[in-house]
Each structure stands twice: as structure tokens, then as C-alpha cells.
Amino acid sequence: MSDRRLEPGESLRVRVGRMLSLAIISGELAPGTLMTVPRVAEQFAVSATPVREAMLDLEKRGFVETVRNKGFRVTAVSDELLQDIVEIRLLLEPPAMARAARDFPADRLADFRAQADAIVAGARAGDLPAYLLADQRFHLELTALLGNGVLVETIADLRERTRLVGLVSLVESSRLHVSADEHHRLLDHLAAGDADAAEALMRQHIRHATGWWAGKAEDRA
């Protein structure tokens, strides 16, 4: 896990929890990794209290489990659970992008392009936390165009539960760049009002979660 100092504007508990969850989702903190509160506090240059609170929050969300007298261990997500999560995402996100394409606001395109640029920059720099944060913002703000807050919250929860343990191994390959560039292609389809193409690309994009992003081969090159 990269050493990262915390920036102002957010509670230490929330910021530590966010950075740890990103490291777990990306596979930077692999399943089975044991973390101690003192060590994590040292990495983030904070006291033990917000770290302990963040760890307990992560435990409630299933990211870690307590190991008595030792600390917290990163949990694993089974292939079956990951497949179930991806299946639900496929039911929700591709149709949502098809709907967004039918009434995409042209005045928002530049903003979304900038967000897609941030995703690409994170991929090219190998900065997985930056990549994941930009990716999360991009997709949730696109979904928010539909005006359904429950849908946004549901997708946000499913995305956070999707472990992408193969991302670390993709940093040195071109495949992370390919998946990052898909965000600009999605915007091309949305701006053109091509609902079918937007839905198909989103479906392909999500399937990386059980392919490249899970450290497995995909049919495409």
C-alpha cells in the first residue's frame, strides 16, 4: 500500500477508510494481508484512533476481519460472489447508459471529458487510487443524469463491493490503458445519441471485472 499523507477537508476516519478500501478493491492490499493499527497510522501519519475506527467501518462492510491480538486481515471475495455482483451490474448499468444516450446534455460533455482524462492519467501513471476515484466519479455522475438517486446509490454500493484484484498486475501492461480509454469511447457514443453502442460498450466494460481486472484472460486482445 502506497504511503499517502491525508489532505484537509474530510475526517481522518473517512479518508483513511477510503484509501484502505481503494487499496483493497484494486488488489494493492491482497486478500489475506494482515494490517496493524500502528503500522497503518504510521503510513498515514495520523494517530491510532481514526485508523482503528476506519478498520471497524471496513469490517462492517466486509473488507477486513479481526484477527485477535494481531490486527485486521483483508478478506477474499469468492468467484461466485463476484460473478453475482457483476451480473446485477450488467442488469443495471448498460441500460442506464442507453437511457443516458437518448438525452445526453451537450453542455456537460467537456466536464465528462475532463473526468475521463483523469481516469486515463491515473492509468498511465499507475496510480490506482487516482484511477479508481476518477472512475467512480465518472460513472456515478453519468448515472445521476437519469435523476434516480436510488439507482446511483445501488450502483455505488455494487461498485465498491467489486474486487479488482488484477488491477495491480495490469499497471505494467497496456490493458489498463485500454480499459481507461473506453471511457472516452463511451462519451463518444453518448454524445452521438447512440444508445445501442453505449449499452454494448458499458456491458463490455463491466465484464472486465471478471476478466482483466480479476487477473484473468479475456477473449479479446
Side-chain angles (χ1 to χ4, degrees):
M1 182 176 61
S2 302
D3 290 356
R4 290 176 173 271
R5 284 192 169 271
L6 308 177
E7 299 177 1
E10 195 169 35
S11 75
L12 295 179
R13 172 181 184 169
V14 171
R15 183 60 63 88
V16 170
R18 174 177 294 178
M19 296 309 299
L20 288 174
S21 66
L22 288 173
I24 292 170
I25 290 170
S26 69
E28 190 176 1
L29 285 173
T33 300
L34 186 65
M35 296 182 287
T36 66
V37 170
R39 175 55 181 153
V40 174
E42 179 183 354
Q43 286 183 302
F44 286 107
V46 299
S47 68
T49 298
V51 172
R52 186 175 294 106
E53 292 172 343
M55 289 289 197
L56 292 174
D57 290 339
L58 290 172
E59 184 177 33
K60 291 177 183 177
R61 295 166 58 194
F63 282 82
V64 300
E65 59 187 5
T66 300
V67 180
R68 188 171 181 177
N69 298 326
K70 291 187 178 181
F72 297 85
R73 180 186 293 120
V74 177
T75 59
V77 171
S78 68
D79 289 344
E80 292 77 11
L81 178 56
L82 178 60
Q83 187 62 52
D84 288 346
I85 293 171
V86 168
E87 184 176 335
I88 297 171
R89 290 183 58 188
L90 287 170
L91 291 172
L92 297 177
E93 295 183 68
M97 290 303 96
R99 287 179 55 197
R102 297 185 183 105
D103 192 26
F104 185 77
D107 61 343
R108 293 289 308 279
L109 181 58
D111 177 48
F112 282 115
R113 287 290 186 195
Q115 293 184 35
D117 285 341
I119 298 170
V120 172
R124 298 197 185 287
D127 188 339
L128 293 181
Y131 173 90
L132 289 172
L133 283 172
D135 179 77
Q136 180 91 332
R137 179 187 176 195
F138 176 86
H139 287 291
L140 294 184
E141 289 195 11
L142 278 178
T143 305
L145 294 176
L146 302 180
N148 187 327
V150 175
L151 179 62
V152 174
E153 291 177 3
T154 301
I155 290 174
D157 177 64
L158 290 169
R159 291 177 65 84
E160 288 186 356
R161 295 174 64 189
T162 306
R163 301 286 181 91
L164 310 174
V165 295
L167 279 186
V168 171
S169 65
L170 293 184
V171 169
E172 300 301 325
S173 77
S174 63
R175 288 175 175 174
L176 187 60
H177 304 163
V178 170
S179 62
D181 290 339
E182 287 174 354
H183 298 83
H184 276 298
R185 290 174 52 204
L186 177 61
L187 288 176
D188 291 341
H189 298 322
L190 293 173
D194 192 336
D196 290 341
E199 181 170 0
L201 180 57
M202 193 65 212
R203 193 172 300 280
Q204 171 187 302
H205 191 65
I206 292 172
R207 283 181 173 146
H208 292 323
T210 52
W212 290 343
W213 299 343
K216 299 180 181 179
E218 294 186 13
D219 291 336
R220 55 173 288 175

